[in-house]
Amino acid sequence: MKTLILGGGVGGIVAANALKNTMGSSMKVTLVDREPNHYFTPSFPRLMIGETKPSKITKQLNILEKRKIEVLHREIENIDLIEHLVTTNREQLEYDYLIISLGVEYHPETVPGFSEFVFNAYDFYDVVKLSQRLKNFTSGQIVFFISSLPYKCPPAPYEMMFLLDQFFRQRGLRHKIKLTIVTPDYSPEPIAPPKVGQSVRKMLDDKDIELITEAKVIKVERNILMLDHDTKVPSDLLLGIASHWTPEVIRNTDLVDKSGYIEVDQLTLETRYPGVYAIGDATAIRLPVLGAYAPKAGSFAHAQAVVVAKNIRLLSRGLKPKFRYDGKGLCIMNTGFGRARYSTVHYYKKPQPYVTLLHPSKLSYYAKLAFEKYWFKRWF
Ligand SMILES: Cc1cc2nc3c(=O)[nH]c(=O)nc-3n(C[C@H](O)[C@H](O)[C@H](O)COP(=O)(O)OP(=O)(O)OC[C@H]3O[C@@H](n4cnc5c(N)ncnc54)[C@H](O)[C@@H]3O)c2cc1C
């Protein structure tokens, strides 16, 4: 039996390992990704301020071969769900089970001027360039903006601002730097109870970071961010999160709903095609209470991958799949100066999603550092 996993990011890596660990040679597992490397995104904020190096947060995907996972470095061009065939730039691949974990792709062109004037804070190569630029930045306004919703890891932009605050304070330059964050959301952490968003606002305030909410970015000029209603935000350095879309190869299938993301069963992650699953950022998961879509983060992709792998194991043995995804995850937001806030999320909880956000602590900070080590040791 063969399981084909599309995407070697968080969801794909966990699914491949989980399948191999439980099924051994009874399941051939093939992982396909266009990138030769995996980048550990939770450490991008620390990479930005030079607290870690690119080589420390990068692993070659083909290391997974030692775990008997076949790794193909390919561009996926077409998914034929009727014939069970995936076409890459080199060959056609058949499957018995298919797991799609292709994440999102960035579309900076939806904001004119983005590609010319903005560092994409979610792109590994741009973060490396940004870390060099910051070394020579001594005064002026830095603006971080979110192009559109949804975007993955909603706390990440705030984390990056807190680390910029730390970076410039440590250099004695903070009084010469204005930090501004611009978001289309009405609040940080919008699905959480209001007190969670309020506590992030307070931290921004305490650190003298300006927050502009409910802002629609129209375009970028060299030193200006243009918002709706002709509002102009001046800037000497622009960081942004480009609009997220599902990859074209997904949008060319009938898997997507009108949001552009893949419709899945909330509990099993199965698509409308039996034996075809989608996990991670590419999925459209409705929150039972708010009707809104669930947030996107690696911890959710991770938990979904484990559920799917366990159910494929049962199915391949002729048994009923019994494992269910529970909508739980966690996040640790680095708040600077060796502290972090630990957050738990349970987005299927009724009568409303449950989100906790602990106060900044050293323990949470060390837990975040330890997770990076765990991640590479556990899965590579
Ligand atoms: C700066 C930053 C910080 C973050 N911090 C956290 C955090 O602290 N905690 C947390 O839980 N989450 C965090 N996240 C979010 C997390 O990285 C994502 O939610 C997670 O990676 C989603 O996993 P995925 O498998 O769905 O997609 P991805 O990990 O994005 O993997 C998708 C893979 O598909 C490949 N691919 C796409 N299209 C094709 C194609 N046509 N052909 C071949 N390959 C293709 C891509 O190359 C990619 O490797 C952060 C994200 C960023 C950017």
Side-chain angles (χ1 to χ4, degrees):
M1 293 232 140
K2 287 186 215 159
T3 298
L4 191 55
I5 301 176
L6 307 185
V10 172
I13 289 167
V14 175
N17 274 285
L19 271 171
K20 260 295 157 200
N21 290 348
T22 54
M23 299 195 64
S25 58
S26 63
M27 179 66 75
K28 179 172 182 202
V29 177
T30 302
L31 183 86
V32 191
D33 203 297
R34 59 159 76 103
E35 280 277 345
N37 296 320
H38 168 67
Y39 306 104
F40 186 70
T41 56
S43 296
F44 284 14
R46 291 177 53 247
L47 179 64
M48 174 185 73
I49 59 161
E51 272 191 1
T52 186
K53 292 195 288 198
S55 58
K56 292 228 161 184
I57 63 166
T58 307
K59 282 271 185 239
Q60 286 182 351
L61 278 174
N62 64 14
I63 296 176
L64 297 173
E65 300 258 1
K66 72 171 192 254
R67 300 191 173 206
K68 310 272 183 271
I69 296 163
E70 183 185 32
V71 178
L72 301 179
H73 177 203
R74 308 276 196 273
E75 180 70 30
I76 299 156
E77 293 177 343
N78 190 53
I79 305 172
D80 184 335
L81 297 153
I82 308 291
E83 299 296 329
H84 286 210
L85 275 182
V86 169
T87 307
T88 74
N89 54 338
R90 292 246 202 114
E91 71 270 274
Q92 287 201 316
L93 303 164
E94 295 175 356
Y95 62 84
D96 297 298
Y97 299 98
L98 181 69
I99 304 177
I100 303 172
S101 194
L102 289 171
V104 292
E105 52 181 41
Y106 302 128
H107 283 263
E109 74 284 0
T110 60
V111 173
F114 192 120
S115 305
E116 294 95 303
F117 304 122
V118 184
F119 287 97
N120 183 353
Y122 273 17
D123 176 79
F124 175 78
Y125 301 99
D126 260 23
V127 174
V128 173
K129 282 189 228 151
L130 174 61
S131 68
Q132 295 306 316
R133 175 75 182 90
L134 285 174
K135 286 183 189 160
N136 307 315
F137 194 87
T138 51
S139 68
Q141 183 163 2
I142 301 182
V143 179
F144 189 131
F145 70 91
I146 297 151
S147 300
S148 64
L149 303 176
Y151 67 95
K152 57 186 161 182
C153 195
Y158 299 99
E159 172 166 342
M160 288 180 134
M161 292 314 267
F162 294 143
L163 291 197
L164 285 176
D165 172 75
Q166 170 196 319
F167 180 81
F168 289 112
R169 278 185 206 278
Q170 285 174 332
R171 276 159 189 71
L173 295 170
R174 185 62 177 91
H175 61 291
K176 294 205 248 168
I177 310 277
K178 180 167 180 189
L179 296 176
T180 302
I181 181 160
V182 177
T183 173
D185 270 324
Y186 67 89
S187 164
E189 306 276 0
I191 70 151
K195 67 173 186 199
V196 174
Q198 279 155 14
S199 93
V200 177
R201 276 175 190 267
K202 180 160 182 337
M203 281 200 79
L204 291 167
D205 242 24
D206 291 347
K207 291 176 188 283
D208 198 19
I209 300 169
E210 180 185 34
L211 170 67
I212 300 176
T213 55
E214 295 179 272
K216 182 167 166 40
V217 177
I218 305 292
K219 66 173 175 174
V220 178
E221 287 173 1
R222 180 172 295 280
N223 288 321
I224 299 178
L225 183 67
M226 307 278 287
L227 306 180
D228 218 359
H229 308 292
D230 203 26
T231 308
K232 297 182 175 79
V233 184
S235 168
D236 300 292
L237 177 59
L238 276 157
L239 284 60
I241 299 179
S243 285
H244 290 11
W245 296 13
T246 48
E248 190 179 2
V249 66
I250 292 179
R251 281 181 277 121
N252 288 341
T253 68
D254 61 355
L255 289 171
V256 293
D257 73 5
K258 60 178 187 309
S259 70
Y261 289 85
I262 304 176
E263 218 173 345
V264 286
D265 181 284
Q266 287 180 354
L267 302 176
T268 64
L269 289 314
E270 195 168 24
T271 66
R272 74 175 77 161
Y273 292 89
V276 176
Y277 300 84
I279 56 177
D281 293 347
T283 58
I285 297 180
R286 287 261 182 203
L287 300 181
V289 182
L290 301 176
Y293 288 104
K296 301 179 185 303
S299 66
F300 305 129
H302 184 150
Q304 292 162 5
V306 172
V307 168
V308 168
K310 285 177 172 173
N311 282 336
I312 288 179
R313 175 173 172 269
L314 292 177
L315 277 167
S316 69
R317 294 178 180 183
L319 301 168
K320 244 180 115 173
K322 65 172 186 195
F323 295 96
R324 299 287 176 262
Y325 172 57
D326 58 11
K328 288 185 186 165
L330 66 86
C331 176
I332 303 175
M333 174 167 65
N334 201 335
T335 53
F337 295 98
R339 288 176 189 270
R341 300 188 75 170
Y342 189 94
S343 174
T344 55
V345 184
H346 180 184
Y347 58 57
Y348 287 168
K349 187 153 169 59
K350 295 178 184 168
Q352 68 173 79
Y354 180 74
V355 182
T356 59
L357 183 63
L358 301 183
H359 290 297
S361 71
K362 283 196 179 301
L363 187 63
S364 299
Y365 173 77
Y366 287 117
K368 182 147 185 152
L369 294 191
F371 187 75
E372 178 188 301
K373 290 208 162 47
Y374 159 84
W375 176 259
F376 286 128
K377 203 170 161 50
R378 176 81 177 85
W379 305 119
F380 282 87

